[in-house]
Amino acid sequence: MSNLFIISFSPFLIYFISLLVFVFIFFLKRNHYLLKIRLLLLLVFAFLQLIHVACVCAGHNASRDVVTLVKSVLFHRRNPLHFHFITDTVANRILSSLFQSWMVPSVQVSFYDADELKSEVSWIPNKHYSGIYGLMKLTLTKALPSDLSKVIVLDTDITFATDIAELWGIFRKFTDKQVIGLVENQSDWYLGNLWKNHKPWPALGRGFNTGVILLYLERLRRIGWEQMWRLTAERELMSMLSTSLADQDIFNAFIKQNPVLVHQLPCFWNVQLSDHTRSEQCYTEVSDLKVIHWNSPKKLRVKNKHVEFFRNLYLTFLEYDGNLLRRELFGCPSQASPDSVQLQSALEELDEDDQCYDFRRERLTVHRVHLYFLQYEYTPTEDDTDVTLVAQLSMDRLQMLEAICKHWEGPISLALYMSDAEAQQFLRYAQASEVLKNRKNVGYHIVYKEGQFYPVNLVRNVALKNANTPYVFLTDVDFLPMYGLYDYLRKSVVQLDMAHTKKALVVPAFETLRYRLSFPKSKAELLSMLDMGTLYTFRYHVWPKGHAPTNYAKWRTATTPYKVEWEPDFEPYVVVRRDCPEYDQRFVGFGWNKVSHIMELDAQEYDLMVLPNAFMIHMPHAPSFDISKFRSSSSYRNCLNTLKDEFHQDLSRKYGSAALKYLTAQRNI
């Protein structure tokens, strides 16, 4: 049920050091001159404590919220952490990929399948917008490991303004009987006077809010928590019929019957920013705040005299560079994961005097990846001929998205290379676009910026690996496919028997120098524009050999697909099976990133077949930063040649005689 995939800090190390600390304190306890040393040692012990945090997370939107919550916790923390996520399939895929690529020291992450817990709460009628997942916190004594004694439970719409260790420390203030720590509810909901005939579930006074909970799991299991909350729910549902606030109603009904079991937390540990709350009475100065809870459906638009301060705090973490949170904890040696050890070893092997050191280091950079940043829905076709358009982009190509969605109605997998702040700009752009909002079959995957080069092939591979169809159309985001290309490619997949043969279908590429183009609706119209000089074969003026092997002269009159041979520097845009080779990630920035991929396809004996009635058109734009570096830097070009030579040698070793022609071609250039 649990899947622990990052182990960055060993609990055994904590226990060992803790034992040494207490032994040392025992021998010093009678010497008042060493009081300060004892206090210091106790402080060190507090820092070494492993803090456990649990969160229920389901779906794409909640996964984004969790990232902001985690950033706020990591920013302030001084302790090792273990996050426990109860997730659906979507959130599991997103968060497992994110944390694995984030590689934060002294952080462990475990996942628990929410589907296995649904039967525990599915019998409870619930009106809350969170649905069945809003009841999952009731199951934590069963879901979490049986040897876990304490845990902090958080909603996804929480922002920390202090070290979470302070909250963890409150467990020490529990009496022997107390098992749950909660903040009083700051609205009048449980007083039952919000509107006529308002009938809330029973609660102790104003009731308690369950956005922040301290759960003493060991004690809860001892008193039979699972049976107790079930009996409470069954009894109250006889008259209430359903819950309105999900788990919160059942927690409050339980506490009403067992008030001795609750430890009331100071209200600044859960300042609730829903409308009509008493949250402003929680603090004198905003600097007193510990935890902010955006528990209104309106979120950042709530009414509060300090809402601007709260909003700015939230936005700070929303756009905060998550790479900065990879820092090691002071005085807390972490047990590195196997991936971290391997990465560190590879970095140490690099020669800093190598003129291509920066290129080689970039290849080893681990980029955070947030898959499915927006809502994504896809239903596989029954005939197994579906094709996903695969591309990558950065912020300066964002304007192409709407046009591509209008030209291609099929599924799309896009990897976006962005900073945390740019990712939020993209989110606002996508949510404001009617075109993008109406397309649920587009997977947006954020690859977060790090390093000095654009890792173009790494970003391409993220888009490629997360396509969900048997076939992929490997293109660039600044090309517009012809209208109807999606259906045409699906038919071509069948006609050319791609399921049983190794073929790469070439889509001929053209370009225009005009920012406003009347897009051709047919091949005949395109040929007419080609003759008039409105269109050109792609890169005809600057890099003809990149696409010349497509044989455009033959394409003009072709009515059936025709085979072409590989030639040096050929880099067409192709349709292939999804299990094709990945792009070679040694190539970053500008140059040879697509050429190397086509070479490997050819080495694997893919037939290059040009489609007679397909085309795509490159739209004009300003040159990228990387192409400018390539043109202005001789060392850049020299390193690219070095990487090309190494790639040729690797290809030869990998494919033997099938790759000899590449070495021959290289010598003849």
Side-chain angles (χ1 to χ4, degrees):
M1 187 171 182
S2 165
N3 175 25
L4 175 63
F5 71 87
I6 298 178
I7 304 180
S8 302
F9 193 92
S10 171
F12 298 106
L13 179 63
I14 295 173
Y15 298 147
F16 179 71
I17 294 175
S18 302
L19 180 61
L20 290 178
V21 168
F22 278 114
V23 169
F24 190 32
I25 290 174
F26 176 80
F27 285 109
L28 295 176
K29 66 180 181 179
R30 297 188 180 183
N31 191 336
H32 66 278
Y33 294 110
L34 296 175
L35 179 60
K36 290 183 179 180
I37 296 177
R38 291 172 58 195
L39 291 174
L40 179 62
L41 288 170
L42 286 170
L43 189 62
V44 170
F45 171 68
F47 285 171
L48 287 173
Q49 280 191 301
L50 178 63
I51 295 174
H52 293 269
V53 181
C55 194
V56 178
C57 179
H60 302 83
N61 295 339
S63 300
R64 287 199 310 273
D65 293 338
V66 159
V67 175
T68 308
L69 161 63
V70 169
K71 282 183 183 179
S72 71
V73 173
L74 293 177
F75 180 84
H76 298 287
R77 64 105 180 211
R78 291 171 293 180
N79 290 63
L81 298 170
H82 189 154
F83 289 101
H84 302 264
F85 292 113
I86 292 84
T87 60
D88 64 350
T89 304
V90 169
N92 188 314
R93 182 176 183 183
I94 294 170
L95 294 178
S96 61
S97 170
L98 176 69
F99 278 97
Q100 199 162 28
S101 59
W102 203 342
M103 299 180 73
V104 184
S106 303
V107 167
Q108 303 174 36
V109 182
S110 299
F111 291 95
Y112 310 86
D113 189 353
D115 287 339
E116 295 183 12
L117 299 168
K118 283 182 177 179
S119 61
E120 301 291 320
V121 292
S122 59
W123 56 275
I124 304 173
N126 178 29
K127 294 180 181 178
H128 195 259
Y129 61 81
S130 59
I132 193 169
Y133 298 101
L135 297 162
M136 290 286 178
K137 284 183 279 187
L138 295 165
T139 72
L140 290 180
T141 52
K142 182 173 185 178
L144 298 179
S146 58
D147 60 349
L148 181 59
S149 63
K150 300 187 290 260
V151 69
I152 296 172
V153 187
L154 303 173
D155 280 357
T156 59
D157 52 359
I158 292 289
T159 304
F160 266 77
T162 193
D163 189 346
I164 196 171
E166 295 181 40
L167 180 59
W168 183 262
I170 295 179
F171 275 117
R172 295 195 299 270
K173 299 180 180 180
F174 278 34
T175 66
D176 291 342
K177 293 184 178 180
Q178 290 173 340
V179 296
I180 302 174
L182 292 165
V183 170
E184 184 182 53
N185 199 47
Q186 290 160 18
S187 78
D188 291 342
W189 178 270
Y190 287 108
L191 299 181
N193 58 8
L194 292 182
W195 60 80
K196 188 178 180 181
N197 299 325
H198 174 217
K199 184 184 178 185
W201 276 53
L204 190 66
R206 304 187 67 84
F208 295 90
N209 183 277
T210 56
V212 176
I213 316 175
L214 298 186
L215 284 186
Y216 217 124
L217 298 171
E218 182 182 10
R219 295 179 182 178
L220 282 166
R221 295 186 183 105
R222 200 182 305 147
I223 66 172
W225 162 252
E226 291 177 33
Q227 184 180 13
M228 293 177 75
W229 75 255
R230 281 175 174 273
L231 291 174
T232 299
E234 289 170 356
R235 181 181 65 249
E236 298 302 332
L237 284 170
M238 294 178 66
S239 58
M240 299 303 300
L241 305 180
S242 67
T243 61
S244 296
L245 299 183
D247 66 87
Q248 185 167 298
D249 285 337
I250 297 174
F251 270 105
N252 274 288
F254 170 80
I255 290 168
K256 173 81 170 178
Q257 296 296 316
N258 305 277
V260 70
L261 299 179
V262 68
H263 179 92
Q264 184 169 336
L265 304 176
C267 66
F268 49 66
W269 283 112
N270 183 356
V271 178
Q272 300 146 41
L273 294 184
S274 54
D275 287 337
H276 311 297
T277 71
R278 302 162 68 247
S279 60
E280 293 177 11
Q281 299 178 27
C282 253
Y283 54 91
T284 306
E285 301 291 337
V286 289
S287 57
D288 299 334
L289 297 176
K290 305 289 188 181
V291 173
I292 298 163
H293 186 187
W294 302 91
N295 63 324
S296 165
K298 295 193 299 184
K299 300 302 179 188
L300 302 189
R301 303 189 308 276
V302 294
K303 297 176 181 177
N304 181 290
K305 66 181 179 181
H306 295 119
V307 71
E308 203 60 38
F309 172 84
F310 300 140
R311 187 184 293 116
N312 289 336
L313 180 66
Y314 172 81
L315 293 176
T316 295
F317 292 117
L318 188 71
E319 301 185 356
Y320 190 82
D321 183 353
N323 298 324
L324 301 177
L325 298 167
R326 286 172 165 169
R327 64 183 185 271
E328 292 279 355
L329 294 183
F330 176 74
C332 184
S334 63
Q335 179 180 319
S337 67
D339 287 344
S340 298
V341 172
Q342 186 177 359
L343 175 61
Q344 188 59 38
S345 176
L347 287 170
E348 290 172 358
E349 290 177 6
L350 295 181
D351 180 5
E352 294 188 22
D353 295 327
D354 180 357
Q355 64 171 346
C356 297
Y357 172 80
D358 290 337
F359 285 82
R360 302 190 196 284
R361 183 179 177 84
E362 179 61 46
R363 186 183 183 185
L364 297 174
T365 299
V366 178
H367 293 265
R368 282 178 299 134
V369 177
H370 189 134
L371 302 178
Y372 301 102
F373 196 66
L374 298 180
Q375 190 76 25
Y376 175 78
E377 297 169 10
Y378 172 71
T379 303
T381 58
E382 295 180 359
D383 57 5
D384 288 332
T385 64
D386 213 355
V387 182
T388 295
L389 185 152
V390 173
Q392 53 79 33
L393 68 150
S394 54
M395 201 68 184
D396 58 343
R397 301 288 185 266
L398 210 55
Q399 74 281 358
M400 291 296 301
L401 294 186
E402 288 189 345
I404 285 178
C405 286
K406 291 176 181 177
H407 279 249
W408 178 273
E409 61 269 31
I412 301 174
S413 181
L414 295 173
L416 300 88
Y417 188 60
M418 295 179 168
S419 66
D420 294 74
E422 287 173 338
Q424 296 307 315
Q425 293 176 43
F426 158 68
L427 177 62
R428 292 190 290 270
Y429 171 81
Q431 291 174 336
S433 166
E434 290 299 323
V435 173
L436 301 186
K437 278 196 302 186
N438 292 329
R439 286 293 296 272
K440 300 300 183 186
N441 63 346
V442 181
Y444 300 99
H445 315 294
I446 306 295
V447 179
Y448 287 101
K449 283 184 177 179
E450 187 171 6
Q452 58 178 309
F453 294 103
Y454 191 126
V456 58
N457 278 356
L458 179 147
V459 181
R460 283 195 176 107
N461 285 336
V462 170
L464 172 59
K465 286 186 284 190
N466 289 285
N468 295 308
T469 57
Y471 304 96
V472 288
F473 173 29
L474 305 177
T475 182
D476 278 335
V477 78
D478 43 12
F479 278 88
L480 290 182
M482 74 177 198
Y483 291 111
L485 182 61
Y486 171 61
D487 289 332
Y488 177 68
L489 293 182
R490 292 183 62 186
K491 292 174 184 175
S492 299
V493 161
V494 176
Q495 291 169 356
L496 293 168
D497 192 25
M498 288 186 66
H500 304 100
T501 58
K502 295 178 80 171
K503 291 188 175 72
L505 311 186
V506 177
V507 177
F510 300 85
E511 69 176 322
T512 179
L513 303 179
R514 301 183 179 185
Y515 283 87
R516 293 182 178 273
L517 175 74
S518 178
F519 201 90
K521 295 179 175 59
S522 65
K523 178 177 178 178
E525 191 174 335
L526 179 137
L527 290 174
S528 175
M529 297 172 72
L530 203 60
D531 293 337
M532 291 188 296
T534 308
L535 293 176
Y536 306 91
T537 55
F538 185 54
R539 290 292 184 261
Y540 172 77
H541 299 92
V542 294
W543 187 246
K545 57 184 179 180
H547 292 267
T550 299
N551 194 344
Y552 288 95
K554 183 172 183 177
W555 183 82
R556 293 179 71 101
T557 58
T559 56
T560 58
Y562 59 91
K563 184 179 177 180
V564 296
E565 298 299 326
W566 172 87
E567 294 180 25
D569 297 316
F570 191 27
E571 52 178 2
Y573 296 95
V574 296
V575 178
V576 289
R577 292 202 304 250
R578 187 182 58 190
D579 61 358
C580 70
E582 293 183 6
Y583 289 85
D584 193 297
Q585 292 180 191
R586 84 185 75 198
F587 296 106
V588 297
F590 176 80
W592 249 63
N593 43 73
K594 292 192 298 293
V595 171
S596 57
H597 190 245
I598 296 299
M599 287 178 66
E600 186 152 10
L601 289 176
D602 185 66
Q604 290 194 7
E605 300 181 332
Y606 277 73
D607 288 333
L608 297 168
M609 306 294 297
V610 180
L611 296 174
N613 295 307
F615 62 85
M616 57 197 293
I617 299 176
H618 180 266
M619 306 307 290
H621 56 74
S624 67
F625 178 66
D626 289 289
I627 195 172
S628 300
K629 280 200 297 188
F630 172 82
R631 290 170 176 169
S632 63
S633 171
S634 59
S635 62
Y636 192 117
R637 296 191 296 273
N638 290 336
C639 282
L640 182 58
N641 285 328
T642 299
L643 296 176
K644 286 162 62 174
D645 290 340
E646 293 172 359
F647 174 77
H648 281 130
Q649 293 166 14
D650 290 345
L651 210 61
S652 180
R653 282 191 289 268
K654 189 174 182 179
Y655 297 104
S657 58
L660 289 177
K661 62 181 177 181
Y662 309 122
L663 290 171
T664 303
Q666 179 67 10
R667 293 192 191 101
N668 294 333
I669 293 177

